[in-house]
Amino acid sequence: MLTCRIIKNRTMKDVKNKVAYITGGTKGIGFAVAQTLLGQGMRVAISGRSQSSVDQALKEFNNDAVLGIVSNVGKMADEKDAVAKILDKWGQVDVVLANAGVGNFAPIDEMTDEDWHQMIDTNLNGAFHTLKASVEALKKSEGYYITLASLAGTNFFAKGAGYNASKFGVVGFTQAAMLDLRQYGIKVSTIMPGSVSTHFNNNEPDEKDAWKIQPEDIGELVLDLLQMNERTLPSKIEVRPTRPDKK
Ligand SMILES: NC(=O)c1ccc[n+]([C@@H]2O[C@H](COP(=O)([O-])OP(=O)(O)OC[C@H]3O[C@@H](n4cnc5c(N)ncnc54)[C@H](OP(=O)(O)O)[C@@H]3O)[C@@H](O)[C@H]2O)c1
């Protein structure tokens, strides 16, 4: 007969002092996830494309447990350098969140080469560069690699050809990498949110966004994944607003 153990008091895995690298942590989802992890006593490296955006974020964090790094995820050399800086400072990398992303939406006949390549370089190639740069460190820590994909990685829409291509790619890439890396004890997941209230696509987050997922909700979700028991891996997580805006 099958028996079922009732979990009365769930014991959470302790993440204190673990080291996370969050690409694109200067604002939006990456910034909020960093705040959540810092709240658990983790050390967090965040990146962005410019010194000014990284400095501004560091000012807002106002926390010695944050390392700011200027890195364009579209460049392998930048990502190798970023991970080297984290290892120099803290000697380990336990969690990597490939979050940096851009959305340039236009009908395909009007999509510029530049916009297409920026999306593929940042959203898709970036996820690869970040993993490639950190994979040996993750093997050592038996760590966690998470991509911030999107529901656009499974649902296509008009004006989304470039963004859909990048995010479908990220979902496939992450799932296949999960099969390669779990034998090393590395957990790999992809989070696929619907609308989140951030600066994405030139949005100004304010009260009109109240119905959307809030960035700190993704922080909670990431923490849930990190605290999950060892034997179980939620590998692909779709997350959407409970009550979407009535159009
Ligand atoms: N908001 C949504 O509704 C939504 C829904 C589903 C998925 N997502 C995904 O969530 C992720 C985060 O987006 P967000 O909503 O938080 O947008 P956001 O507020 O615009 O933040 C984007 C972040 O990515 C960084 N970034 C952009 N290009 C970069 C590059 N080449 N190298 C390094 N960093 C770069 C930006 O930093 P700098 O500007 O400082 O360079 C910024 O920190 C993206 O992958 C996006 O596709 C968003």
Side-chain angles (χ1 to χ4, degrees):
M1 194 178 91
L2 281 176
T3 53
C4 172
R5 281 176 299 154
I6 296 167
I7 299 173
K8 286 191 183 134
N9 295 310
R10 184 179 159 192
T11 37
M12 300 292 201
K13 264 174 60 183
D14 191 8
V15 293
K16 195 164 182 228
N17 285 326
K18 287 199 182 285
V19 172
Y21 173 33
I22 300 176
T23 69
T26 60
K27 51 182 183 277
I29 294 171
F31 186 92
V33 176
Q35 289 284 36
T36 304
L37 302 188
L38 288 165
Q40 297 295 313
M42 285 180 65
R43 295 166 285 175
V44 181
I46 55 114
S47 68
R49 287 162 292 184
S50 69
Q51 191 65 58
S52 59
S53 68
V54 169
D55 286 347
Q56 177 60 33
L58 287 176
K59 218 164 121 188
E60 287 170 42
F61 282 116
N62 189 24
N63 188 325
D64 289 344
V66 184
L67 172 66
I69 299 172
V70 178
S71 174
N72 178 347
V73 294
K75 297 182 180 166
M76 179 66 91
D78 278 21
E79 283 305 278
K80 285 193 169 157
D81 199 41
V83 172
K85 282 184 176 134
I86 300 167
L87 290 172
D88 263 3
K89 186 167 174 69
W90 289 316
Q92 68 197 76
V93 181
D94 303 288
V95 177
V96 174
L97 180 66
N99 161 77
V102 290
N104 305 319
F105 301 100
I108 194 59
D109 50 325
E110 292 172 23
M111 166 91 49
T112 64
D113 288 12
E114 196 187 19
D115 280 353
W116 172 273
H117 287 295
Q118 190 198 16
M119 274 184 292
I120 300 296
D121 283 347
T122 307
N123 304 357
L124 180 56
N125 294 340
F128 168 66
H129 295 152
T130 303
L131 177 58
K132 189 77 181 153
S134 60
V135 70
E136 295 308 321
L138 288 172
K139 281 182 189 172
K140 278 202 190 108
S141 61
E142 298 198 341
Y144 211 138
Y145 172 74
I146 301 170
T147 54
L148 223 304
S150 171
L151 287 180
T154 186
N155 305 330
F156 50 85
F157 49 85
K159 301 184 187 170
Y163 190 66
N164 282 138
S166 71
K167 294 297 185 180
F168 271 65
V170 170
V171 172
F173 162 74
T174 313
Q175 294 288 280
M178 178 268 293
L179 297 177
D180 291 338
L181 296 181
R182 61 184 171 166
Q183 61 180 305
Y184 295 101
I186 302 176
K187 285 190 171 188
V188 179
S189 302
T190 188
I191 298 177
M192 304 164 68
S195 298
V196 187
S197 172
T198 68
H199 295 92
F200 187 71
N201 193 26
N202 300 318
N203 182 52
E204 208 39 65
D206 57 24
E207 60 279 1
K208 76 173 174 339
D209 285 354
W211 62 274
K212 293 183 181 175
I213 298 165
Q214 299 302 306
E216 56 271 25
D217 304 342
I218 306 295
E220 267 183 57
L221 181 53
V222 169
L223 184 59
D224 283 346
L225 291 177
L226 302 186
Q227 293 183 322
M228 186 95 201
N229 70 64
E230 261 327 308
R231 65 183 170 263
T232 305
L233 175 59
S235 51
K236 186 175 158 202
I237 303 114
E238 293 192 3
V239 49
R240 43 177 51 80
T242 308
R243 295 184 192 187
D245 198 24
K246 290 194 188 94
K247 294 257 159 72

